[in-house]
Amino acid sequence: MVKKSIVWFEEVDKNDVGLVGGKGANLGEMVNARFPIPYGFIITSKAYFDFIKESGLKNTISQLLKNLNYDNPVELQQVSKNIQELINKASLPLDLSKQILHYYENLIIKENHYYKLKNNSFFQGLLKIRHLYKMPLVAIRSSATAEDLPGASFAGQQETFLNIRGENHLLKKVKECFASLFTERAIYYRYQQGFDHDKVGLAVVVQRMIESEKSGIAFSIDPITNDKNKIVIEAIYGLGEYIVQGKVTPDHYEVDKKSFLIIKKEIKNQSVKLVKANIENKEIKLGKEGKKQKLTDNEIIKIALLVSDIEKHYYFPQDIEWAIENDQVYIVQSRPVTTLNNFKLLNLDKKNNQTPILVGSPASPGIGIGPAKIIFSPKEINKINTGDVLIAPQTNPDYVPAMKKASAIVTEKGGRTSHAAIVSRELGIPAVVGAEGATKIIKNNQIITVNGSTGEVFEGKIIISNKEKQNHKKLLTATKVYVNLAQPEEALTVSKKHVDGVGLLRAEFIIADIGIHPKQFIKQKKEHLFINHLAKKLQQFVGPFSPRPVVYRATDFKTNEYRNLIGGKEFEPHEENPMLGFRGAYRYITNPEVFNLELEAIKKIWSKGYKNLHLMIPFIRSPWELIKIKSIIEKSGLFNYSEFKLWIMVEVPAVALNLEEFLKIGIDGISIGTNDLTMMLLGVDRDNEAVSQIYDERTPIVLSVLEYVVKTCQKYNVTSSICGQAASDYPEVVEKLINAGITSVSVSPDAIERTRELIYNIEKKLISKNLQHR
């Protein structure tokens, strides 16, 4: 574009940093992207250079800086003061002054006209609540820039003037912004960086002033840890100057970026606020109001949604200033977060800033390298050789033999609680799920590197960085740490970890390994083969973990999964919704002969002298089912073993909310299956990418139900545990349940050490808190 002295916001975008500075360029970019930006104009760097030249200051300033001893603070201060005084005393060119005043006088009219032209009902709604001043109230901000100097946007003092109204006041503050290019800090910074003072210019942003009732800053990542999965918001009452200055401590909120759940609130006491009062701002003392939460939950979510949209627009983490006026959230400015360099998202030695060819959701940590092999059904699992990277639309139990051989797994669908994710974590195989287009983007036999910690897939072989492994002490905790397992060959290795037992031993993978439908064994009168095989596999868990408990969850195959077994189609009906169909407890009651096969296998273990194998009933729906199942178990003789324990899974909302009735019937323990429970409480299919971001165990209603379940068990002195993915992924969920009185948590093998350490610290904090209240 032809260089102009003044431009409206919509006339520039992010490519015009050289003319209007980073701040001005971003405001123009966001206005054009329809974000709620208070409207304004920018006095460009061309106007600044013209002013310095026409006022005859260029040579004077150059001479003062040429003779300056930059390392002498007194001399630096004096030169800075002299230059600023020269600029403030000089007159702006007459033509420039007229242009500035013309833009200023037409600001509200232009804003109204621009947004109406855009036919945006959102902005037209905002216009109804604005006062149309003849001389509008504006904020003035500096924006240092230079076209050919990298990093020059930081080469000037970032100056801001609020509540500016009137022609003379405006022109005066524009010159003060120009003068801010020569503060001591700005001069010394340019000297250190080797910037030519003559080439660094300054643009001035003039923006309609928001009379903030509330204001603050938001980051699209955690600015301390660089956690890219959360949005951090800080808020105060009044104008935003006090949060920038650090005069008051803001409230701190954290929002999950996928589900937009508020996951953390820190409410701070604000003693004073700054408000607009005529031309000058006024400080007002706050009483009880200052101790309240500054933003409503709805306001937090509104800001988080805007922050997320802005980050998506820029494809880079953003640092954003926002304000609320008349219940409307405005974005005042946005800039890239500049503190990412110290955070390693990837423990890989990448060359030439290599970018991933595919990004999905991190599902199982670690790095996997190998040739890609794409398969679309279990019939193709023979294509997978040891060391291959398995690529598939999704997986189910039939893929397990191939998954065991893989160096890494990538699926196009699914979330962190999908089959591929759960099994990969148990096998210790790096995995990325929900990587859309994986089977098209990746080619067969293409060498790729999969980072299961970040969800990234790279072309070629990338060297793994050497990283010192942390040594985990054998910490002692009152809350037991159990492990979720499924593969017999993993049992011995995992049993050597600092773990208190198996809180969830899944039957499905053992049954899949047998490969034949249980009813086929019954039909052929070969029940003993099934029983012996299952007992043999169970012993592979029970032996290494003895005397630590192993809680075996009875088979929870759905009909579609059973149909994949040999003979399955003969015995299994077709269901439109197997997830809510013929499964779990109701199946055992309907087909007690199949359930008895599992009970006989368990009895075989007890008859060998082991006393640590217990039974957990999955997907139970009503109290009468528990009564009936207990009678079946009674007939099997398992209750004759006094140390035998019966647990149930709490994964159906009706069980969670009616738990007392189940406890009255008599059970020894419960384990909360957060995966299915959350899915049914929220009405969300966690494996459906179209809605999976809504799925979150930290949703308040889910947390309330979890807490109720644990406290109800405590009331009846019944063991309570949690075995869903939430225990492995969310420390805040674990902490809430420990505070409620949960007796154990069961996690994936990769989470044992960090969960033990987490629990240790939570319990330590609880003990300290209790001692203080004595």
Side-chain angles (χ1 to χ4, degrees):
M1 62 179 284
V2 177
K3 285 190 177 181
K4 297 170 63 177
S5 295
I6 306 178
V7 292
W8 295 108
F9 280 176
E10 74 271 16
E11 294 182 82
V12 294
D13 59 26
K14 62 185 178 184
N15 299 311
D16 294 307
V17 174
L19 184 66
V20 295
K23 197 174 295 181
N26 279 333
L27 287 168
E29 179 77 16
M30 289 191 291
V31 162
N32 285 308
R34 309 288 183 85
F35 290 113
I37 309 298
Y39 195 67
F41 59 90
I42 306 159
I43 303 163
T44 70
S45 59
K46 178 185 183 299
Y48 164 80
F49 286 120
D50 288 347
F51 162 64
I52 294 297
K53 183 180 179 181
E54 292 181 31
S55 63
L57 292 176
K58 183 175 180 181
N59 291 335
T60 305
I61 292 172
S62 295
Q63 197 62 35
L64 283 168
L65 294 171
K66 182 179 180 182
N67 298 322
L68 172 63
N69 178 359
Y70 290 92
D71 294 315
N72 186 325
V74 176
E75 194 174 331
L76 177 62
Q77 182 184 41
Q78 190 59 50
V79 168
S80 170
K81 182 181 178 182
N82 289 346
I83 295 174
Q84 290 186 73
E85 285 179 354
L86 287 170
I87 292 174
N88 286 320
K89 287 178 181 178
S91 297
L92 291 169
L94 185 59
D95 286 348
L96 178 60
S97 295
K98 286 181 178 179
Q99 281 189 69
I100 292 172
L101 296 180
H102 173 76
Y103 274 74
Y104 175 58
E105 289 165 2
N106 286 277
L107 175 59
I108 297 297
I109 296 170
K110 174 68 176 176
E111 179 177 28
N112 187 30
H113 179 65
Y114 174 73
Y115 287 134
K116 276 189 176 179
L117 279 179
K118 291 296 182 183
N119 194 28
N120 189 316
S121 60
F122 173 74
F123 281 110
Q124 288 191 47
L126 300 186
L127 293 171
K128 293 177 183 177
I129 63 172
R130 294 182 179 170
H131 302 292
L132 301 179
Y133 294 112
K134 184 177 180 181
M135 289 188 176
L137 197 66
V138 295
I140 298 177
R141 295 181 171 88
S142 63
S143 187
T145 182
E147 291 193 58
D148 55 353
L149 294 178
S153 59
F154 303 104
Q157 180 78 27
Q158 302 298 302
E159 192 64 83
T160 299
F161 301 105
L162 304 178
N163 289 340
I164 307 303
R165 178 179 286 152
E167 295 175 347
N168 291 334
H169 199 196
L170 172 64
L171 295 176
K172 179 175 180 288
K173 292 302 179 183
V174 168
K175 286 196 294 180
E176 287 183 27
C177 267
F178 285 162
S180 72
L181 195 59
F182 296 96
T183 62
E184 297 166 55
R185 190 174 73 176
I187 293 170
Y188 192 73
Y189 177 84
R190 292 195 294 272
Y191 162 71
Q192 282 186 315
Q193 299 298 319
F195 291 168
D196 185 339
H197 295 287
D198 292 338
K199 289 186 177 181
V200 178
L202 188 135
V204 178
V205 174
V206 180
Q207 189 173 22
R208 190 183 69 77
M209 177 72 188
I210 296 297
E211 298 177 36
S212 314
E213 297 146 14
K214 304 172 185 179
S215 55
I217 296 170
F219 294 88
S220 64
I221 62 168
D222 189 316
I224 307 301
T225 65
N226 290 326
D227 182 348
K228 60 185 179 181
N229 294 315
K230 67 172 68 164
I231 291 167
V232 173
I233 299 169
E234 296 195 327
I236 61 170
Y237 289 130
L239 301 177
E241 278 184 293
Y242 277 7
I243 197 170
V244 175
Q245 295 171 3
K247 186 160 184 176
V248 296
T249 302
D251 280 6
H252 178 92
Y253 315 112
E254 294 180 7
V255 179
D256 181 79
K257 198 181 286 183
K258 289 184 178 179
S259 62
F260 292 98
L261 285 173
I262 301 167
I263 55 178
K264 189 175 185 180
K265 293 181 187 177
E266 291 180 3
I267 313 304
K268 303 296 182 181
N269 183 24
Q270 183 179 340
S271 57
V272 293
K273 69 176 179 179
L274 190 67
V275 298
K276 176 205 165 283
N278 298 321
I279 292 178
E280 296 298 325
N281 295 329
K282 180 182 178 182
E283 182 177 285
I284 296 177
K285 289 185 178 180
L286 293 172
K288 292 181 180 178
E289 180 190 6
K291 295 179 181 180
K292 294 179 180 178
Q293 181 175 315
K294 310 306 178 296
L295 297 179
T296 65
D297 286 0
N298 283 341
E299 287 171 336
I300 294 170
I301 300 304
K302 280 182 183 178
I303 293 167
L305 287 166
L306 280 170
V307 170
S308 175
D309 287 343
I310 293 170
E311 183 188 57
K312 287 175 184 174
H313 180 80
Y314 283 105
Y315 297 100
F316 197 83
Q318 296 291 301
D319 171 1
I320 294 164
E321 290 183 26
W322 56 268
I324 295 177
E325 177 189 60
N326 294 322
D327 297 323
Q328 176 57 53
V329 178
Y330 293 90
I331 301 301
V332 179
Q333 67 171 317
S334 181
R335 51 188 170 260
V337 174
T338 57
T339 56
L340 297 177
N341 293 338
N342 295 329
F343 182 66
K344 294 180 180 178
L345 294 176
L346 193 64
N347 294 321
L348 294 173
D349 291 331
K350 295 188 290 179
K351 295 181 179 179
N352 302 319
N353 296 317
Q354 187 172 352
T355 56
I357 58 172
L358 198 65
V359 177
S361 299
S364 181
I367 310 294
I369 303 169
K373 291 290 174 66
I374 303 168
I375 59 175
F376 293 91
S377 79
K379 295 176 182 177
E380 299 179 278
I381 62 174
N382 290 333
K383 293 181 180 179
I384 305 298
N385 298 313
T386 302
D388 288 344
V389 177
L390 190 159
I391 315 291
Q394 61 192 76
T395 68
N396 61 41
D398 293 328
Y399 282 74
V400 172
M403 295 171 78
K404 291 178 183 178
K405 297 178 184 177
S407 61
I409 295 162
V410 179
T411 67
E412 290 181 313
K413 298 179 181 179
R416 58 182 173 76
T417 55
S418 66
H419 173 268
I422 292 171
V423 175
S424 297
R425 283 190 291 269
E426 290 190 351
L427 295 175
I429 297 170
V432 173
V433 297
E436 190 174 352
T439 60
K440 294 182 178 68
I441 294 169
I442 298 170
K443 307 301 179 187
N444 261 319
N445 297 311
Q446 178 184 8
I447 302 298
I448 59 173
T449 299
V450 178
N451 189 330
S453 303
T454 65
E456 296 170 304
V457 180
F458 296 84
E459 185 175 15
K461 181 178 181 179
I462 299 177
I463 300 168
I464 301 171
S465 300
N466 289 323
K467 191 173 181 182
E468 197 174 316
K469 290 185 178 179
Q470 290 184 337
N471 292 319
H472 295 272
K473 298 177 183 177
K474 285 207 168 185
L475 303 172
L476 298 177
T477 58
T479 308
K480 303 294 185 185
V481 178
Y482 293 148
V483 66
N484 301 334
L485 284 177
Q487 305 295 336
E489 53 268 38
E490 298 294 317
L492 182 60
T493 301
V494 177
S495 71
K496 295 175 182 177
K497 293 178 178 283
H498 183 31
V499 63
D500 298 311
V502 179
L504 172 63
L505 170 52
R506 296 184 179 92
E508 297 77 54
F509 302 105
I510 300 175
I511 306 300
D513 186 59
I514 294 172
I516 301 171
H517 196 288
K519 283 193 174 183
Q520 186 77 359
F521 285 102
I522 295 170
K523 181 180 178 181
Q524 296 175 353
K525 301 189 183 300
K526 295 180 179 179
E527 295 95 327
H528 65 284
L529 294 179
F530 180 92
I531 294 167
N532 291 340
H533 188 94
L534 178 57
K536 181 181 177 182
K537 295 295 182 182
L538 290 177
Q539 190 170 340
Q540 287 181 248
F541 294 95
V542 173
F545 276 92
S546 183
R548 292 167 291 175
V550 174
V551 181
Y552 169 77
R553 184 183 71 183
T555 311
D556 193 24
F557 262 148
K558 304 174 192 69
T559 51
N560 61 321
E561 294 164 338
Y562 260 127
R563 281 173 67 88
N564 290 328
L565 299 176
I566 295 171
K569 288 185 174 62
E570 179 184 347
F571 303 109
E572 297 296 329
H574 171 75
E575 290 185 305
E576 292 299 328
N577 189 358
M579 191 267 177
L580 297 177
F582 187 44
R583 62 179 287 202
Y586 190 75
R587 179 181 278 272
Y588 310 150
I589 295 166
T590 307
N591 296 323
E593 69 279 12
V594 175
F595 184 42
N596 276 320
L597 298 182
E598 292 184 78
L599 297 180
E600 286 301 314
I602 295 170
K603 272 179 65 179
K604 259 187 172 299
I605 300 299
W606 279 84
S607 67
K608 291 181 179 181
Y610 293 105
K611 298 179 180 180
N612 61 324
L613 179 61
H614 310 291
L615 176 63
M616 180 157 64
I617 306 299
F619 216 80
I620 195 161
R621 294 176 172 104
S622 60
W624 72 264
E625 289 178 319
L626 178 58
I627 293 170
K628 185 68 176 174
I629 282 169
K630 284 191 72 173
S631 71
I632 296 172
I633 297 171
E634 178 74 39
K635 290 175 184 176
S636 76
L638 274 172
F639 285 142
N640 294 333
Y641 297 104
S642 60
E643 294 172 80
F644 173 77
K645 309 292 182 188
L646 175 64
W647 288 26
I648 64 169
M649 288 282 290
V650 175
E651 49 196 332
V652 175
V655 178
L657 299 174
N658 192 32
L659 186 59
E660 287 201 43
E661 296 306 310
F662 291 85
L663 300 182
K664 288 174 184 176
I665 293 168
I667 51 175
D668 301 296
I670 67 98
S671 187
I672 306 169
T674 53
N675 298 351
D676 282 357
L677 180 61
T678 302
M679 188 158 60
M680 285 185 279
L681 282 170
L682 300 182
V684 175
D685 179 358
R686 65 179 183 266
D687 291 327
N688 183 336
E689 288 180 83
V691 294
S692 61
Q693 68 176 26
I694 304 170
Y695 176 91
D696 197 310
E697 298 94 330
R698 297 166 297 177
T699 303
I701 187 61
V702 176
L703 289 177
S704 295
V705 171
L706 299 184
E707 191 173 30
Y708 170 76
V709 168
V710 171
K711 287 184 175 179
T712 303
C713 287
Q714 196 175 41
K715 176 182 173 182
Y716 283 83
N717 198 29
V718 169
T719 295
S720 60
S721 188
I722 178 173
C723 61
Q725 195 57 39
S728 300
D729 287 356
Y730 298 131
E732 58 268 45
V733 173
V734 175
E735 181 165 9
K736 190 173 187 69
L737 296 182
I738 288 174
N739 287 330
I742 200 164
T743 55
S744 67
V745 299
S746 194
V747 298
S748 52
D750 63 283
I752 292 170
E753 287 83 4
R754 69 172 183 267
T755 303
R756 176 78 71 181
E757 188 173 354
L758 170 69
I759 293 172
Y760 176 82
N761 290 327
I762 294 169
E763 290 182 349
K764 188 177 178 182
K765 190 164 64 175
L766 269 175
I767 292 168
S768 176
K769 188 177 178 181
N770 290 335
L771 288 173
Q772 288 175 3
H773 286 85
R774 281 185 179 179

